[in-house]
Amino acid sequence: MLLEVKNLSTEFQLKRGIIKAVDDISFTLDKGEILAIVGESGSGKSVTSHSIMGLLQKPGRISGGEILFKSRNLNKLSRKELQKIRGNQISMIFQEPMTSLNPVWRIKDQIIESITTHMQVSQKEALARTIAMLDTVGIPSPAQRANDYPHQMSGGMRQRVMTAMALACGPELLIADEPTTALDVTIQAQILELLYRMREKFQMAVLLITHDLGVVSEAADRVIVMYCGKIMEEADVRSLFTRPLHPYTVGLLQSIPQIDDDSDKRLYMIKGMVPNPLTMPPGCPFSDRCDHSMERCTKEMPELKEIAGQKVRCFLFEEGEGGGLGAK
């Protein structure tokens, strides 16, 4: 077991009240596995990744649970100990490379700094490793492009640079936070193919944070569906797409445009809005938007139960039963 998140809760203490951005979630990630966390904006996906990396900004804080990386609790490590792991054994590709890269530093200098921080190598060796990594992630003429500044590269190239920087020290776990956002479809496919190849080449685990189920279907082995800080469903990628259990998962899948659908029907849209995080309903947070909501749903929070190898948080399914709302 490479990563084990146990009962993790992360909250933001505001003047108006406390927001539970991540609410008692647990999951595991094995070496060489790609685990995707999906959900709408505000579901807690990115907060989960920042909690693991120890990058929460005030007023955010981890209020409970454990984050075990190779059996070490990251929550208990000092800032100095965490810095030795972050960028070395655990790396992260951030959502917007233009804001993550330093605009006044050349590409090579930024990657070299990451390498020399964690590895005992000379500047010459670090430069050679930098050029090799740029070549690995598919940047043409890497020795020449290493001298560029971020603004001289396209969005897709900057994302490749971020990937090269994240992989430069050979991490065992790569966290990719919305790595294909704002990229066109062709570049998205290239970045996903790159992540898949890097997983195969370096045998690293990948935690993929995304709202795009199309991305999930192409890249992931397992999927976690989050809503309002809670895990609503967990399954292997094939089961999720062929036999979704939770009504929220079904709604997300029905919202995907189908290339072979030539009907004039309007694209499905989940009704209602995500509840205000400061005034969360007492029961299931999805109850106001669910077509299958019962009175019980508005008063009680369902437990996350295992149903035929999948996990689902819904009163429609009792242990060992349930055929899947969206079964095809």
Side-chain angles (χ1 to χ4, degrees):
M1 190 82 61
L2 184 66
L3 177 71
E4 185 176 10
V5 175
K6 299 170 68 176
N7 307 111
L8 176 66
S9 293
T10 303
E11 63 185 28
F12 290 81
Q13 295 183 322
L14 308 178
K15 290 181 180 179
R16 294 173 293 164
I18 295 177
I19 294 176
K20 290 187 176 181
V22 175
D23 192 1
D24 193 26
I25 70 168
S26 300
F27 63 87
T28 61
L29 181 58
D30 291 327
K31 183 179 179 180
E33 183 182 25
I34 298 181
L35 172 64
I37 301 181
V38 301
E40 294 173 272
S41 296
S43 62
K45 309 183 303 296
S46 291
V47 176
T48 299
S49 66
H50 283 75
S51 299
I52 294 170
M53 288 292 289
L55 295 175
L56 286 172
Q57 299 291 323
K58 290 185 178 180
R61 72 181 189 94
I62 294 175
S63 57
E66 296 178 316
I67 301 169
L68 303 176
F69 178 70
K70 295 165 63 174
S71 300
R72 295 182 71 190
N73 190 351
L74 300 184
N75 293 355
K76 302 296 185 182
L77 299 183
S78 67
R79 185 175 180 179
K80 189 173 183 180
E81 289 173 319
L82 193 56
Q83 284 177 338
K84 290 181 180 179
I85 294 176
R86 190 167 56 213
N88 184 18
Q89 296 177 59
I90 305 176
S91 285
M92 186 167 181
I93 303 174
F94 293 92
Q95 185 169 344
E96 178 43 65
M98 199 57 191
T99 58
S100 303
L101 294 170
N102 191 322
V104 298
W105 277 30
R106 297 183 188 276
I107 296 301
K108 67 178 182 181
D109 295 328
Q110 301 188 50
I111 301 178
I112 286 173
E113 183 189 40
S114 175
I115 294 171
T116 54
T117 297
H118 297 290
M119 304 177 73
Q120 299 297 318
V121 295
S122 66
Q123 287 287 320
K124 184 177 181 180
E125 290 171 321
L127 176 59
R129 189 178 182 91
T130 294
I131 294 172
M133 286 308 306
L134 292 175
D135 183 52
T136 297
V137 299
I139 291 181
S141 306
Q144 180 181 339
R145 298 308 300 268
N147 292 302
D148 287 354
Y149 292 95
H151 73 270
Q152 295 176 287
M153 290 186 159
S154 66
M157 286 293 110
R158 288 195 294 266
Q159 196 61 277
R160 289 173 185 270
V161 168
M162 285 294 298
T163 304
M165 189 182 302
L167 298 176
C169 297
E172 296 174 68
L173 170 60
L174 176 67
I175 300 176
D177 188 1
E178 301 277 11
T180 60
T181 297
L183 300 177
D184 64 51
V185 177
T186 304
I187 303 301
Q188 282 187 20
Q190 292 175 1
I191 295 298
L192 289 177
E193 172 63 22
L194 172 62
L195 284 178
Y196 199 83
R197 282 196 295 108
M198 295 301 100
R199 186 273 292 264
E200 295 295 312
K201 182 171 182 177
F202 297 107
Q203 277 300 297
M204 64 183 181
V206 179
L207 183 62
L208 177 62
I209 310 295
T210 183
H211 65 275
D212 189 337
L213 281 166
V215 168
V216 171
S217 67
E218 291 291 328
D221 299 312
R222 276 192 303 126
V223 189
I224 287 173
V225 179
M226 287 188 69
Y227 184 78
C228 292
K230 288 279 192 184
I231 292 178
M232 293 297 175
E233 186 165 354
E234 181 179 344
D236 66 83
V237 68
R238 181 178 178 82
S239 297
L240 190 90
F241 278 83
T242 59
R243 185 177 175 267
L245 298 180
H246 199 281
Y248 178 57
T249 309
V250 174
L252 290 177
L253 290 171
Q254 289 178 343
S255 302
I256 302 174
Q258 301 296 321
I259 195 169
D260 58 350
D261 185 3
D262 56 0
S263 69
D264 294 329
K265 285 174 54 178
R266 292 188 64 179
L267 193 63
Y268 178 81
M269 183 175 68
I270 300 174
K271 67 182 181 181
M273 299 287 290
V274 177
N276 186 331
L278 289 170
T279 56
M280 291 293 292
C284 174
F286 190 63
S287 59
D288 286 347
R289 308 178 71 188
C290 182
D291 293 331
H292 305 273
S293 181
M294 303 172 282
E295 184 178 355
R296 183 185 183 189
C297 302
T298 63
K299 298 176 180 178
E300 302 174 42
M301 175 68 75
E303 295 180 8
L304 190 66
K305 292 186 175 182
E306 186 164 336
I307 307 291
Q310 296 173 234
K311 293 180 181 178
V312 62
R313 187 186 299 277
C314 185
F315 289 128
L316 289 173
F317 301 90
E318 298 299 332
E319 189 171 355
E321 300 178 0
L325 292 174
K328 297 177 183 177

